[in-house]
């Protein structure tokens, strides 16, 4: 399932909550590189394997874990 999971801009923003960059950029939570614009980090994540990084795998795994956690929370506290 995780190999079919697509990474959205919202996933990137959710993963980086609380990570303020003084330069006003976006930090990849996998490799810690900083990107000036949201589209540039999204492109980096999509093409990370070509750059020798596993950031796409990291974000996919993170998204799957967050979705599982959300389902558990909904089961524990329905409504």
């Amino acid at each position: 399932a995780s190999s079919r999971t697509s990474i959205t801009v919202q996933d990137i923003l959710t993963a980086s909550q609380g990570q303020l960059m003084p330069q006003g950029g976006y930090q990849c939570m996998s490799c810690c590189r900083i990107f000036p614009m949201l589209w540039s980090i999204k492109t980096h994540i999509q093409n990370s394997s070509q750059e020798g990084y596993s950031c796409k795998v990291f974000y996919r795994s993170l998204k799957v874990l967050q979705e599982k956690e959300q389902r558990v929370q909904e089961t524990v506290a329905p409504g």
Side-chain angles (χ1 to χ4, degrees):
S2 65
S3 64
R4 295 180 302 227
T5 304
S6 64
I7 306 302
T8 66
V9 168
Q10 185 60 45
D11 296 326
I12 296 166
L13 293 173
T14 300
S16 63
Q17 281 182 338
Q19 301 294 323
L20 300 175
M21 296 290 100
Q23 310 87 310
Y26 298 88
Q27 183 176 19
C28 176
M29 299 308 294
S30 178
C31 69
C32 297
R33 290 176 59 193
I34 297 174
F35 298 87
M37 300 179 77
L38 195 52
W39 68 265
S40 59
I41 189 173
K42 185 165 176 33
T43 301
H44 160 72
I45 292 167
Q46 291 172 337
N47 301 321
S48 62
S49 62
Q50 297 168 0
E51 300 173 11
Y53 295 98
S54 58
C55 304
K56 189 173 188 177
V57 174
F58 172 84
Y59 277 92
R60 281 182 174 165
S61 299
L62 182 62
K63 182 173 182 175
V64 168
L65 288 172
Q66 288 172 337
E67 288 172 349
K68 284 182 183 178
E69 183 177 326
Q70 183 179 2
R71 284 192 299 273
V72 167
Q73 292 298 324
E74 289 171 354
T75 303
V76 172

XYZ file of all heavy atoms in Angstrom:
618
model
N 0.813 -1.198 0.000
C 0.000 0.000 0.000
C 0.852 1.255 0.000
O 0.523 2.227 -0.648
C -0.918 -0.001 1.203
N 1.986 1.245 0.725
C 2.794 2.453 0.826
C 3.448 2.829 -0.494
O 3.742 3.992 -0.718
C 3.857 2.306 1.913
O 4.770 1.297 1.567
N 3.671 1.877 -1.407
C 4.276 2.209 -2.694
C 3.308 2.949 -3.607
O 3.725 3.601 -4.541
C 4.789 0.951 -3.387
O 3.708 0.107 -3.687
N 1.995 2.875 -3.312
C 0.999 3.574 -4.116
C 0.570 4.888 -3.483
O -0.202 5.633 -4.064
C -0.228 2.692 -4.314
C 0.068 1.451 -5.131
C -1.174 0.650 -5.277
N -1.672 0.317 -3.941
C -2.072 -0.873 -3.551
N -2.058 -1.860 -4.380
N -2.513 -1.077 -2.326
N 1.051 5.161 -2.285
C 0.658 6.361 -1.577
C 1.315 7.571 -2.210
O 2.523 7.607 -2.379
C 1.082 6.270 -0.093
O 0.509 5.098 0.459
C 0.646 7.483 0.690
N 0.508 8.565 -2.568
C 1.075 9.770 -3.158
C 1.268 10.818 -2.070
O 0.512 10.892 -1.108
C 0.184 10.318 -4.265
O -1.060 10.717 -3.723
N 2.310 11.613 -2.216
C 2.641 12.650 -1.254
C 2.054 13.961 -1.754
O 2.330 14.385 -2.866
C 4.169 12.787 -1.094
C 4.801 11.436 -0.741
C 4.521 13.850 -0.070
C 4.264 10.808 0.511
N 1.258 14.599 -0.920
C 0.647 15.867 -1.280
C 1.360 17.014 -0.575
O 2.140 16.797 0.348
C -0.840 15.892 -0.879
O -0.923 15.841 0.550
C -1.608 14.716 -1.475
N 1.066 18.218 -1.005
C 1.614 19.407 -0.356
C 1.185 19.431 1.103
O 1.976 19.751 1.994
C 1.158 20.681 -1.104
C 1.460 21.922 -0.297
C 1.803 20.754 -2.479
N -0.050 19.046 1.373
C -0.535 19.019 2.755
C 0.268 18.040 3.599
O 0.552 18.300 4.764
C -2.024 18.675 2.795
C -2.610 18.754 4.195
C -2.473 20.147 4.807
O -2.734 21.150 4.158
N -2.036 20.207 6.053
N 0.663 16.904 3.021
C 1.491 15.927 3.746
C 2.834 16.541 4.125
O 3.340 16.332 5.229
C 1.729 14.680 2.896
C 0.454 13.926 2.601
O -0.446 13.896 3.455
O 0.364 13.367 1.493
N 3.413 17.305 3.211
C 4.696 17.949 3.470
C 4.559 18.965 4.590
O 5.368 19.016 5.523
C 5.242 18.608 2.184
C 5.530 17.547 1.121
C 6.505 19.426 2.493
C 5.750 18.099 -0.257
N 3.503 19.767 4.518
C 3.270 20.780 5.552
C 2.987 20.138 6.910
O 3.471 20.612 7.940
C 2.128 21.699 5.138
C 2.406 22.593 3.926
C 1.142 23.332 3.518
C 3.541 23.556 4.208
N 2.229 19.068 6.917
C 1.923 18.370 8.167
C 3.193 17.802 8.786
O 3.412 17.917 9.993
C 0.902 17.238 7.924
O -0.291 17.808 7.407
C 0.599 16.470 9.195
N 4.037 17.212 7.969
C 5.281 16.624 8.478
C 6.221 17.678 9.046
O 6.972 17.405 9.979
C 5.985 15.851 7.362
N 6.169 18.875 8.516
C 7.109 19.910 8.943
C 6.535 20.861 9.980
O 7.146 21.883 10.279
C 7.606 20.694 7.734
O 6.537 21.365 7.113
N 5.383 20.548 10.554
C 4.789 21.411 11.575
C 5.783 21.625 12.715
O 6.416 20.696 13.180
C 3.511 20.797 12.137
C 2.330 20.984 11.269
C 1.074 20.391 11.892
O 1.131 19.525 12.736
N -0.064 20.867 11.437
N 5.908 22.866 13.117
C 6.805 23.203 14.214
C 8.246 23.378 13.805
O 9.096 23.679 14.629
N 8.555 23.175 12.552
C 9.921 23.328 12.055
C 10.040 24.660 11.326
O 9.918 24.736 10.122
C 10.284 22.174 11.107
C 10.199 20.804 11.721
C 11.233 20.623 12.815
O 12.348 21.103 12.728
N 10.838 19.938 13.876
N 10.257 25.716 12.066
C 10.355 27.038 11.457
C 11.749 27.253 10.887
O 12.748 27.042 11.567
C 10.041 28.119 12.497
C 8.649 28.046 13.117
C 8.513 29.096 14.201
C 7.591 28.230 12.063
N 11.802 27.668 9.661
C 13.069 27.952 9.004
C 13.292 29.453 8.999
O 12.455 30.195 8.471
C 13.054 27.438 7.551
C 12.931 25.940 7.407
S 14.415 25.092 7.931
C 13.977 24.553 9.556
N 14.378 29.923 9.592
C 14.627 31.368 9.635
C 14.728 31.989 8.243
O 14.413 33.140 8.050
C 15.944 31.497 10.390
C 16.451 30.132 10.614
C 15.402 29.147 10.231
N 15.132 31.211 7.264
C 15.248 31.710 5.894
C 13.899 31.757 5.196
O 13.790 32.243 4.080
C 16.181 30.822 5.052
C 17.508 30.503 5.655
C 17.481 29.278 6.554
O 16.646 29.136 7.435
N 18.429 28.387 6.367
N 12.865 31.223 5.823
C 11.542 31.218 5.218
C 11.348 30.105 4.220
O 10.418 30.133 3.432
N 12.190 29.086 4.249
C 12.064 27.976 3.318
C 11.378 26.784 3.950
O 10.763 26.877 5.004
N 11.499 25.647 3.291
C 10.895 24.399 3.737
C 11.997 23.358 3.864
O 12.798 23.179 2.953
C 9.844 23.913 2.737
C 8.704 24.889 2.584
C 8.772 25.923 1.654
C 7.581 24.793 3.379
C 7.740 26.823 1.526
C 6.535 25.699 3.253
C 6.622 26.704 2.329
O 5.598 27.604 2.193
N 12.019 22.655 4.988
C 13.049 21.657 5.215
C 12.499 20.266 4.965
O 11.421 19.913 5.458
C 13.567 21.733 6.644
C 14.690 20.752 6.909
C 15.266 20.896 8.299
O 14.635 21.459 9.180
N 16.457 20.400 8.495
N 13.233 19.481 4.193
C 12.884 18.083 3.986
C 13.148 17.368 5.305
O 14.254 17.427 5.836
C 13.725 17.476 2.864
S 13.417 15.710 2.631
N 12.146 16.706 5.841
C 12.268 16.050 7.129
C 13.086 14.768 7.040
O 13.457 14.207 8.052
C 10.880 15.750 7.696
C 10.030 16.998 7.920
S 10.844 18.275 8.900
C 10.967 17.441 10.464
N 13.404 14.323 5.853
C 14.191 13.111 5.673
C 15.684 13.420 5.571
O 16.477 12.911 6.344
C 13.719 12.371 4.428
O 14.495 11.219 4.220
N 16.065 14.288 4.648
C 17.483 14.565 4.420
C 17.943 15.895 5.005
O 19.124 16.215 4.966
C 17.807 14.520 2.935
S 17.088 15.880 1.978
N 16.993 16.671 5.529
C 17.257 17.971 6.184
C 17.695 19.081 5.235
O 18.103 20.149 5.693
C 18.277 17.811 7.313
S 17.685 16.730 8.624
N 17.616 18.860 3.936
C 17.916 19.937 3.001
C 16.816 20.983 3.074
O 15.667 20.666 3.362
C 18.034 19.399 1.570
C 19.283 18.556 1.368
C 19.351 17.936 -0.011
N 19.328 18.944 -1.058
C 19.130 18.659 -2.342
N 18.945 17.429 -2.740
N 19.119 19.622 -3.235
N 17.171 22.229 2.800
C 16.210 23.327 2.850
C 15.940 23.810 1.430
O 16.859 23.985 0.630
C 16.743 24.477 3.728
C 16.906 23.966 5.157
C 15.790 25.673 3.688
C 17.556 24.952 6.094
N 14.647 24.036 1.153
C 14.211 24.469 -0.175
C 13.466 25.783 -0.052
O 12.719 25.992 0.894
C 13.321 23.387 -0.802
C 14.055 22.092 -1.000
C 14.122 21.157 0.015
C 14.708 21.838 -2.182
C 14.825 19.975 -0.147
C 15.422 20.661 -2.364
C 15.473 19.730 -1.347
N 13.646 26.670 -1.024
C 13.060 28.009 -0.916
C 11.553 28.057 -1.118
O 10.890 28.947 -0.598
C 13.774 28.800 -2.010
C 14.182 27.776 -3.013
C 14.471 26.530 -2.214
N 11.015 27.102 -1.866
C 9.580 27.141 -2.189
C 8.975 25.758 -1.995
O 9.667 24.742 -2.085
C 9.379 27.618 -3.626
C 9.950 29.018 -3.869
S 9.724 29.557 -5.551
C 8.011 30.001 -5.490
N 7.682 25.737 -1.747
C 6.975 24.487 -1.515
C 7.056 23.549 -2.717
O 7.272 22.346 -2.571
C 5.521 24.785 -1.147
C 4.708 23.663 -0.542
C 5.407 23.032 0.651
C 3.343 24.169 -0.141
N 6.917 24.094 -3.924
C 6.976 23.237 -5.112
C 8.360 22.620 -5.276
O 8.500 21.511 -5.782
C 6.562 23.977 -6.388
C 7.515 25.047 -6.814
C 7.436 26.377 -6.517
C 8.704 24.891 -7.594
N 8.494 27.053 -7.058
C 9.299 26.168 -7.726
C 9.328 23.811 -8.187
C 10.483 26.366 -8.422
C 10.514 24.016 -8.882
C 11.074 25.282 -8.996
N 9.415 23.311 -4.812
C 10.764 22.763 -4.961
C 11.001 21.580 -4.036
O 11.664 20.614 -4.414
C 11.831 23.841 -4.775
O 11.736 24.444 -3.508
N 10.440 21.625 -2.820
C 10.589 20.461 -1.938
C 9.733 19.304 -2.434
O 10.142 18.149 -2.364
C 10.289 20.798 -0.457
C 10.688 19.613 0.442
C 8.850 21.188 -0.244
C 10.600 19.890 1.920
N 8.557 19.593 -2.978
C 7.714 18.527 -3.526
C 8.419 17.847 -4.700
O 8.436 16.619 -4.794
C 6.355 19.084 -3.957
C 5.387 18.000 -4.422
C 3.986 18.536 -4.491
C 2.955 17.607 -5.026
N 3.035 16.217 -4.800
N 9.049 18.625 -5.563
C 9.807 18.067 -6.688
C 10.976 17.234 -6.178
O 11.254 16.146 -6.687
C 10.302 19.197 -7.608
O 9.166 19.923 -8.095
C 11.105 18.654 -8.773
N 11.670 17.755 -5.164
C 12.781 17.014 -4.562
C 12.319 15.659 -4.055
O 12.958 14.639 -4.307
C 13.391 17.835 -3.412
C 14.174 17.012 -2.445
N 15.406 16.474 -2.748
C 13.882 16.618 -1.179
C 15.841 15.791 -1.700
N 14.938 15.863 -0.740
N 11.195 15.642 -3.316
C 10.687 14.386 -2.763
C 10.335 13.414 -3.879
O 10.685 12.234 -3.825
C 9.485 14.648 -1.836
C 9.959 15.394 -0.579
C 8.779 13.351 -1.476
C 8.844 15.976 0.257
N 9.667 13.905 -4.922
C 9.276 13.038 -6.042
C 10.483 12.460 -6.760
O 10.447 11.331 -7.236
C 8.406 13.816 -7.025
C 7.045 14.160 -6.472
C 6.271 15.097 -7.388
O 6.838 15.816 -8.199
N 4.958 15.094 -7.227
N 11.573 13.222 -6.853
C 12.753 12.791 -7.605
C 13.915 12.387 -6.709
O 15.040 12.265 -7.185
C 13.194 13.912 -8.550
C 12.116 14.289 -9.528
O 11.403 13.431 -10.044
N 11.957 15.575 -9.779
N 13.660 12.182 -5.433
C 14.746 11.948 -4.482
C 15.591 10.718 -4.813
O 16.808 10.736 -4.622
C 14.193 11.837 -3.057
O 13.313 10.739 -2.935
N 14.993 9.673 -5.327
C 15.777 8.472 -5.632
C 16.792 8.735 -6.741
O 17.881 8.156 -6.734
C 14.863 7.308 -6.011
O 14.129 7.607 -7.174
N 16.465 9.635 -7.653
C 17.413 9.982 -8.716
C 18.571 10.803 -8.177
O 19.644 10.846 -8.771
C 16.696 10.758 -9.823
C 15.621 9.956 -10.513
C 14.739 10.819 -11.406
O 14.924 12.024 -11.508
N 13.760 10.187 -12.043
N 18.353 11.468 -7.028
C 19.389 12.280 -6.401
C 20.181 11.486 -5.361
O 21.078 12.022 -4.720
C 18.751 13.500 -5.724
C 17.997 14.413 -6.667
C 17.235 15.502 -5.931
O 17.439 15.686 -4.714
O 16.437 16.192 -6.585
N 19.818 10.218 -5.161
C 20.514 9.383 -4.195
C 19.942 9.456 -2.791
O 20.590 9.034 -1.833
N 18.741 9.985 -2.642
C 18.084 10.092 -1.342
C 16.875 9.155 -1.299
O 16.370 8.737 -2.329
C 17.592 11.525 -1.085
C 18.684 12.541 -0.975
C 19.037 13.337 -2.069
C 19.359 12.733 0.220
C 20.039 14.289 -1.964
C 20.364 13.683 0.329
C 20.692 14.456 -0.764
O 21.684 15.397 -0.659
N 16.409 8.863 -0.092
C 15.221 8.027 0.070
C 14.072 8.831 0.686
O 13.240 8.291 1.411
C 15.545 6.813 0.945
O 16.021 7.242 2.202
N 14.006 10.109 0.385
C 13.000 10.997 0.974
C 11.581 10.584 0.613
O 10.679 10.660 1.453
C 13.266 12.439 0.548
S 14.934 12.983 0.963
N 11.368 10.116 -0.599
C 10.032 9.708 -1.021
C 9.551 8.537 -0.178
O 8.403 8.508 0.261
C 10.045 9.342 -2.504
C 8.677 9.117 -3.102
C 8.800 8.928 -4.605
C 7.461 8.895 -5.283
N 7.607 8.785 -6.740
N 10.438 7.591 0.096
C 10.102 6.450 0.934
C 9.756 6.930 2.340
O 8.781 6.482 2.940
C 11.264 5.435 0.977
C 10.994 4.318 1.969
C 11.532 4.877 -0.409
N 10.532 7.866 2.865
C 10.285 8.421 4.194
C 8.908 9.056 4.273
O 8.127 8.756 5.176
C 11.369 9.449 4.537
C 11.088 10.214 5.805
C 11.425 9.687 7.038
C 10.478 11.457 5.761
C 11.166 10.385 8.209
C 10.211 12.168 6.924
C 10.554 11.625 8.157
N 8.587 9.944 3.332
C 7.299 10.642 3.367
C 6.128 9.683 3.142
O 5.071 9.840 3.743
C 7.265 11.785 2.356
C 7.898 13.046 2.894
C 9.241 13.316 2.692
C 7.164 13.962 3.627
C 9.835 14.461 3.192
C 7.741 15.116 4.138
C 9.074 15.359 3.915
O 9.642 16.498 4.428
N 6.299 8.682 2.275
C 5.234 7.699 2.079
C 4.995 6.913 3.368
O 3.855 6.701 3.767
C 5.589 6.734 0.954
C 5.368 7.300 -0.418
C 5.693 6.266 -1.453
N 5.341 6.747 -2.776
C 5.766 6.185 -3.880
N 6.560 5.142 -3.839
N 5.412 6.678 -5.049
N 6.078 6.485 4.007
C 5.952 5.733 5.252
C 5.304 6.581 6.338
O 4.451 6.107 7.089
C 7.321 5.240 5.724
O 7.884 4.379 4.775
N 5.716 7.838 6.413
C 5.147 8.751 7.394
C 3.654 8.933 7.164
O 2.856 8.906 8.100
C 5.865 10.099 7.343
C 5.421 11.144 8.351
C 5.664 10.664 9.773
C 6.171 12.448 8.101
N 3.255 9.087 5.913
C 1.842 9.274 5.594
C 1.035 8.033 5.971
O -0.047 8.142 6.556
C 1.658 9.595 4.112
C 0.214 9.852 3.740
C 0.068 10.317 2.322
C -1.392 10.623 2.001
N -1.562 11.196 0.681
N 1.555 6.858 5.681
C 0.861 5.617 6.025
C 0.707 5.516 7.542
O -0.365 5.174 8.041
C 1.613 4.391 5.455
C 1.080 3.096 6.040
C 1.501 4.369 3.940
N 1.761 5.836 8.290
C 1.686 5.797 9.752
C 0.673 6.806 10.290
O -0.089 6.494 11.211
C 3.059 6.061 10.358
C 4.071 4.935 10.219
C 5.444 5.393 10.694
C 3.622 3.706 10.970
N 0.658 8.009 9.716
C -0.295 9.026 10.162
C -1.736 8.600 9.874
O -2.635 8.834 10.677
C 0.006 10.370 9.502
C 1.257 11.023 10.042
C 1.657 12.254 9.260
O 1.307 12.429 8.096
N 2.436 13.117 9.902
N -1.958 7.973 8.719
C -3.304 7.498 8.389
C -3.739 6.388 9.340
O -4.889 6.344 9.768
C -3.351 7.025 6.938
C -3.281 8.173 5.943
C -3.127 7.716 4.505
O -2.861 6.510 4.259
O -3.255 8.571 3.615
N -2.806 5.486 9.691
C -3.125 4.426 10.648
C -3.451 5.024 12.004
O -4.409 4.605 12.663
C -1.950 3.452 10.783
C -1.810 2.507 9.634
C -0.661 1.555 9.859
C -0.481 0.641 8.667
N 0.668 -0.260 8.847
N -2.669 5.989 12.439
C -2.911 6.640 13.728
C -4.272 7.332 13.739
O -5.003 7.273 14.725
C -1.810 7.648 14.034
C -1.954 8.311 15.386
C -0.821 9.257 15.696
O 0.313 8.978 15.270
O -1.072 10.263 16.362
N -4.616 7.978 12.632
C -5.908 8.648 12.537
C -7.059 7.644 12.636
O -8.053 7.898 13.321
C -6.009 9.437 11.231
C -7.291 10.218 11.093
C -7.345 11.019 9.803
O -6.445 10.968 8.985
N -8.414 11.749 9.626
N -6.917 6.491 11.980
C -7.956 5.467 12.055
C -8.101 4.942 13.484
O -9.219 4.710 13.953
C -7.667 4.318 11.079
C -7.969 4.687 9.638
C -7.961 3.461 8.745
N -6.698 2.766 8.687
C -5.707 3.041 7.850
N -5.839 3.998 6.955
N -4.592 2.345 7.869
N -6.990 4.769 14.175
C -7.041 4.307 15.568
C -7.741 5.353 16.430
O -8.596 5.007 17.253
C -5.619 4.017 16.100
C -5.624 3.851 17.612
C -5.040 2.788 15.419
N -7.398 6.618 16.237
C -8.034 7.689 17.004
C -9.538 7.742 16.749
O -10.315 7.988 17.656
C -7.403 9.040 16.683
C -5.977 9.188 17.151
C -5.839 9.072 18.654
O -6.696 9.509 19.408
N -4.757 8.461 19.095
N -9.946 7.520 15.501
C -11.364 7.529 15.166
C -12.079 6.343 15.797
O -13.240 6.446 16.178
C -11.544 7.510 13.648
C -11.139 8.819 12.993
C -11.114 8.734 11.481
O -11.299 7.629 10.906
O -10.866 9.774 10.851
N -11.389 5.211 15.935
C -11.959 4.028 16.559
C -12.118 4.232 18.060
O -13.134 3.854 18.644
C -11.081 2.791 16.294
O -10.930 2.624 14.891
C -11.685 1.543 16.882
N -11.119 4.849 18.666
C -11.128 5.084 20.104
C -12.168 6.125 20.474
O -12.883 5.980 21.464
C -9.733 5.524 20.603
C -9.776 5.965 22.046
C -8.735 4.401 20.406
N -12.254 7.192 19.701
C -13.193 8.279 19.999
C -14.062 8.562 18.776
O -13.854 9.549 18.075
C -12.419 9.529 20.398
N -15.030 7.704 18.491
C -15.869 7.929 17.299
C -16.727 9.189 17.458
O -17.079 9.582 18.541
C -16.758 6.684 17.237
C -16.738 6.120 18.608
C -15.440 6.546 19.247
N -16.987 9.773 16.287
C -17.867 10.933 16.307
C -17.142 12.127 15.925
O -17.358 13.148 15.604
